[in-house]
Amino acid sequence: MRITHCLHRLVQREPDRPLTICGTRTTTVAQSADRVARLAGALKARGLEAGERVGILAMNSDRYHEALFACAWAGLVVVPLNTRWSLAENAFAVDDAGIRLLLADDDFAAAAHELEDRCPTLTTVVHWGEHATPTGWLPYEDLLTDAAPAEDAYRGGSDLFGIFYTGGTTGRAKGVALSHDNVLGNAAGALATYPVATAHGRFLHAAPMFHLADLAAWVMGTLRETTHVMVPAFEPAAVLAALERHRITDTLLVPTMLQLLCDHPDADTADLSSVRTVVYGASPMPEAVLERSMLRFPHAGFVQAYGMTELGPVATLLLPDDHHVAERRRSAGRSTVAVDVRVVDAEDHEVPTGTVGEIVVRGDNVMLGYWNRPEETAQALRGSWMHTGDAGRMDAAGYLFVVDRIKDMIVTGGENVYSVEVEKTLARHPAVAACAVIGVPDPTYGECVHAVVVLHPGSAAVPEELTDFCRAHIANYKVPRSVEFIDALPVSGAGKVLKRELRGARRAGQERAAH
């Protein structure tokens, strides 16, 4: 399998159909294929050889779509950089991947200049956008106009397609190496399980295109011959307007995005009746947010996707019908076609039904490995199974219940506390907009449960009110022993809460208090 086959097939079948819509630009399949071939030719003319890495640091756009295809067309390896990372974090990725050429837009021109200065391998920057191209850089549109279309390199199968850096929620980011088979196998398995993209529909890309979840949606949509509609970034009013104006059929949103859409005043009048599928994932979905979202999108089936970058990224799907069964709604669904999922103990033995252990996954979607990290690759892929680091259990019908990140599990007084369970309980309190639960050192119990809470605007609560609320729903040892209120939780580019930052801030506070 190869990524570029998707585009060749579309050219044969429907060359005049709109393939991308971005702002005022609409590009047909044939036009897009021509631009992809020209960009591939321009990249090869810069001296890049098969297997070399090309970085992208840009907001969502049709040009992002062209760059993803063009790298594969030229036999190069794409490395999407995280637009929410600091300069130091992206400099690490550029150096680690050995990126020679970077595609950057107006929003990240300043960052690209800094990366040029800091990263010795980075020798060429291609600029796209509406502003004038900085001196020394190559203007994207001129590059395409002047370039001769390249022949497709026809790389595929186990050839490296891209390096996708993890969000670094538990430490320094790792580059996940994914092949063409990984990405296409993931898409085919997910689509065979449930058609998350409507055939000949319109898919809205509001989640960041640098993230593998949206890239997977891009691949699935292309396989389903959809039209890709891009907005630069998630902004509630703009997303609601795009959903209505373009009669979007499918989209991918993380829970925080859905909450912001539901809270926005335009949601009361926006016509969202065209939406047929809403895919969500990346972080736990509060029950109240899910129920409100299902009311906002009355004709949409909701699909929860569970996985990780290393899995290309989908392991399980919770399908629309499952959302109407209370017990199943609490799960992450069942494995997709051609993916094996099981729960194991510390010795990698499968545990009995209902027992909590580590979730492991096997299939064509599982990564080649971590870029430049052979020891960590061997540890993660031991026994040919990807060890996710997530704790979960499976019921008799194969539904997977994710209970926590293993590293986020709190051991207090010899009892295991899964932070997700406590967070779900806190989220049910009407004053709580968002929360995170972590373990903090305690001389008596080893660790104590600590809650960090963001309140809804205009709401008020005191710690005792929240702990009493929890005590009415969960065991006493799981109830937070301390509560602090902050304005916003630190999150990664994928919208996941960075608990390591919360732990670090708590430790720093304790050290200052000790002195």
Side-chain angles (χ1 to χ4, degrees):
M1 291 189 288
R2 68 182 191 281
I3 290 291
T4 57
H5 173 75
C6 304
L7 192 53
H8 286 290
R9 182 171 181 270
L10 286 172
V11 170
Q12 280 188 333
R13 293 164 63 88
E14 298 180 288
D16 298 325
R17 183 176 61 80
L19 183 56
T20 62
I21 298 174
C22 182
T24 60
R25 294 191 298 266
T26 297
T27 307
T28 68
V29 168
Q31 289 169 337
S32 185
D34 179 66
R35 289 172 64 84
V36 165
R38 288 179 180 278
L39 178 56
L43 295 175
K44 295 177 74 171
R46 311 266 71 84
L48 294 173
E49 299 180 355
E52 290 201 74
R53 278 75 62 198
V54 173
I56 307 175
L57 185 57
M59 306 297 278
N60 295 356
S61 75
D62 49 354
R63 289 162 176 160
Y64 211 120
H65 152 97
E66 292 165 1
L68 291 171
F69 265 131
C71 287
W73 196 282
L76 304 171
V77 177
V78 68
V79 187
L81 297 178
N82 193 322
T83 59
R84 298 171 183 171
W85 273 4
S86 68
L87 179 66
E89 289 169 316
N90 271 321
F92 163 77
V94 170
D95 289 337
D96 186 58
I99 291 172
R100 283 186 55 195
L101 183 145
L102 178 68
L103 296 145
D105 67 3
D106 290 332
D107 290 281
F108 294 96
H113 275 300
E114 292 284 348
L115 291 172
E116 274 190 299
D117 293 337
R118 296 178 60 154
C119 303
T121 63
L122 181 57
T123 58
T124 306
V125 177
V126 176
H127 168 258
W128 72 54
E130 309 311 316
H131 298 163
T133 296
T135 302
W137 289 4
L138 302 172
Y140 184 84
E141 291 299 332
D142 290 352
L143 203 63
L144 265 64
T145 300
D146 297 339
E151 291 292 328
D152 189 349
Y154 285 96
R155 286 170 63 89
S158 61
D159 290 329
L160 184 58
F161 166 66
I163 301 172
F164 303 86
Y165 281 84
T166 61
T169 56
T170 57
R172 170 154 274 191
K174 296 186 286 289
V176 175
L178 295 178
S179 68
H180 289 252
D181 279 351
N182 291 154
V183 175
L184 285 164
N186 166 83
L191 287 172
T193 306
Y194 185 83
V196 296
T198 302
H200 295 92
R202 291 190 167 194
F203 200 107
L204 178 66
H205 296 272
M209 292 180 72
F210 70 76
H211 193 265
L212 194 60
D214 194 80
L215 184 137
W218 172 75
V219 176
M220 291 183 216
T222 304
L223 289 172
R224 294 282 282 168
E225 302 179 2
T226 193
T227 296
H228 300 284
V229 182
M230 291 85 168
V231 292
F234 177 83
E235 194 284 314
V239 168
L240 288 167
L243 288 166
E244 180 174 4
R245 180 170 63 254
H246 297 295
R247 305 303 295 161
I248 297 299
T249 56
D250 315 283
T251 191
L252 165 74
L253 300 165
V254 302
T256 52
M257 293 176 180
L258 283 166
Q259 180 171 341
L260 289 168
L261 285 181
C262 290
D263 290 342
H264 198 275
D266 290 353
D268 292 329
T269 56
D271 179 3
L272 307 179
S273 61
S274 63
V275 180
R276 293 292 176 264
T277 306
V278 175
V279 185
Y280 68 93
S283 62
M285 169 70 86
E287 187 77 14
V289 174
L290 179 58
E291 290 176 355
R292 292 177 64 203
S293 300
M294 292 172 74
L295 290 173
R296 287 293 186 195
F297 295 89
H299 302 295
F302 277 68
V303 178
Q304 180 190 161
Y306 162 73
M308 59 197 310
T309 304
E310 290 89 335
L311 301 178
V314 181
T316 67
L317 292 176
L318 184 71
L319 305 185
D321 287 348
D322 297 324
H323 282 72
H324 300 291
V325 181
E327 181 60 23
R328 290 179 180 175
R329 188 191 285 195
R330 300 186 187 100
S331 78
R334 296 190 280 194
S335 62
T336 60
V337 173
V339 173
D340 296 321
V341 178
R342 68 181 188 181
V343 180
V344 301
D345 61 20
E347 285 73 44
D348 283 347
H349 299 134
E350 191 166 7
V351 300
T353 298
T355 303
V356 174
E358 183 176 7
I359 300 166
V360 296
V361 180
R362 179 174 62 185
D364 290 341
N365 59 321
V366 174
M367 68 174 180
L368 298 176
Y370 293 119
W371 183 256
N372 291 333
R373 298 191 180 202
E375 293 181 1
E376 291 179 63
T377 297
Q379 177 64 17
L381 297 179
R382 61 188 185 274
S384 300
W385 291 81
M386 176 64 207
H387 290 67
T388 67
D390 286 338
R393 59 181 174 84
M394 191 174 288
D395 71 9
Y399 285 87
L400 181 68
F401 293 77
V402 183
V403 298
D404 212 348
R405 286 292 295 169
I406 289 174
K407 292 180 179 179
D408 290 338
M409 187 179 73
I410 302 162
V411 182
T412 179
E415 297 281 1
N416 292 343
V417 176
Y418 298 107
S419 61
V420 172
E421 180 185 8
V422 185
E423 288 162 358
K424 286 182 177 178
T425 302
L426 277 168
R428 292 162 60 185
H429 190 283
V432 175
C435 62
V437 170
I438 59 174
V440 297
D442 182 85
T444 303
Y445 296 102
E447 287 185 300
C448 274
V449 181
H450 177 71
V452 183
V453 175
V454 178
L455 297 176
H456 283 294
S459 296
V462 295
E464 293 77 13
E465 179 183 349
L466 298 183
T467 55
D468 287 346
F469 179 83
C470 288
R471 196 168 287 110
H473 296 90
I474 55 178
N476 189 59
Y477 71 87
K478 302 176 183 178
V479 174
R481 294 296 182 264
S482 54
V483 178
E484 67 176 293
F485 299 98
I486 62 175
D487 293 332
L489 296 173
V491 296
S492 71
K496 296 181 181 180
V497 175
L498 297 173
K499 290 189 176 181
R500 60 182 168 83
E501 291 192 9
L502 295 175
R503 295 188 191 100
R506 181 72 182 180
R507 283 195 298 269
Q510 289 175 326
E511 291 170 0
R512 286 193 297 270
H515 291 85

